[in-house]
Amino acid sequence: MRALTVLGTCGAWPEAGRAASGFLLEYDGFRLVLDLGYATFPRLLEHCPDGRVDAVVVTHEHPDHCADLSALCRARYFAPQRGPRVPLYCPPGVVARVQAMEPTEDLHEVFDVHPLPAAHRVGPLRLDAEPLPHHVPHAGVRLTAPGLTLAYSGDAGPGPALERLAAGADLFVAGATLQGGPAADPYLMSAADAGSWAGRCGVDRLLLTHFWPGADRARSIAEAREAFPGEVTAAEEGMTIPL
């Protein structure tokens, strides 16, 4: 199975019935989590009982992208059979941020931490991560394997690295926090920005995510389509996209 499952789609905080940022990538039996924001862990358990995943990638330390890393840590820490440590790829600050919520259980007993931005081999995948503009250190992500190129902008603004990360991607998962044209905030992207960069990078499909709670998602799709003629979809919790 090669698919991306959406765990959560909201930026800042989750709307009722939704979750913050999170995705599960499955590639020929290898399971990698991209971000684990508020309320994503219960949704992950629907696909990975006991939190049995092979790797975790977290783009930055804002809690709408990393808070449920604490829940995953607890599930693995207290499991009857803890198993080997899970590779965790993240920028500086993520582990300290999550560890601050956990005064008794050491995250390093569950996770084998590797720094981002950097390039790593993650099971069958190559992970390339480069800095993108945001309010805290942030790594944009490119994951490649035979037959697959997936790019993820996380919650960042656009920067020169985004063109390298998303170039020719089969699927570009782009934060689309704002609406109403190009973002005035250099540390975030709008739906229009996501569409523009999708076209500039020559991607096949664009998946919009990280919506501000209450945003009209149909409007975001329409604004992205003004700049990108390819397939544009708004991420929804529980959605599974074949790759």
Side-chain angles (χ1 to χ4, degrees):
M1 178 179 181
R2 298 179 181 181
L4 184 74
T5 298
V6 180
L7 305 176
T9 65
C10 292
W13 72 92
E15 297 179 56
R18 294 190 183 273
S21 295
F23 299 88
L24 172 64
L25 173 63
E26 297 180 84
Y27 184 90
D28 294 351
F30 189 86
R31 296 175 295 185
L32 181 146
V33 177
L34 273 171
D35 283 344
L36 269 175
Y38 302 119
T40 53
F41 184 64
R43 297 174 185 273
L44 178 65
L45 290 177
E46 295 174 5
H47 305 276
C48 303
D50 302 320
R52 293 293 170 182
V53 298
D54 298 299
V56 179
V57 176
V58 175
T59 56
H60 65 293
E61 66 186 89
H62 279 154
D64 57 330
H65 292 255
C66 72
D68 272 20
L69 195 61
S70 176
L72 175 59
C73 177
R74 284 188 155 229
R76 295 294 295 259
Y77 188 94
F78 293 110
Q81 295 181 339
R82 187 181 298 176
R85 291 189 299 164
V86 180
L88 168 62
Y89 303 85
C90 60
V94 170
V95 171
R97 173 78 69 175
V98 177
Q99 188 68 71
M101 297 189 290
E102 185 54 84
T104 54
E105 282 69 58
D106 185 353
L107 267 68
H108 289 90
E109 295 189 36
V110 171
F111 299 112
D112 181 17
V113 182
H114 303 270
L116 294 182
H120 298 279
R121 191 73 196 177
V122 186
L125 304 163
R126 177 182 169 89
L127 165 62
D128 291 287
E130 297 194 47
L132 290 176
H134 199 47
H135 306 279
V136 296
H138 184 294
V141 170
R142 180 181 178 92
L143 291 162
T144 53
L148 171 67
T149 300
L150 184 149
Y152 177 43
S153 74
D155 181 16
L162 186 57
E163 192 161 10
R164 294 188 294 273
L165 292 169
D170 303 303
L171 180 65
F172 177 29
V173 183
T177 311
L178 305 176
Q179 296 178 327
D185 186 336
Y187 299 117
L188 297 170
M189 281 207 298
S190 67
D193 293 325
S196 177
W197 279 88
R200 179 174 175 175
C201 295
V203 309
D204 288 340
R205 293 181 288 172
L206 173 61
L207 180 67
L208 303 178
T209 190
H210 202 268
F211 300 101
W212 195 258
D216 179 353
R217 300 184 180 206
R219 178 184 173 186
S220 294
I221 291 174
E223 291 182 356
R225 282 179 174 161
E226 290 181 7
F228 178 61
E231 178 183 323
V232 182
T233 305
E236 295 285 347
E237 281 75 2
M239 173 188 290
T240 295
I241 301 168
L243 298 172

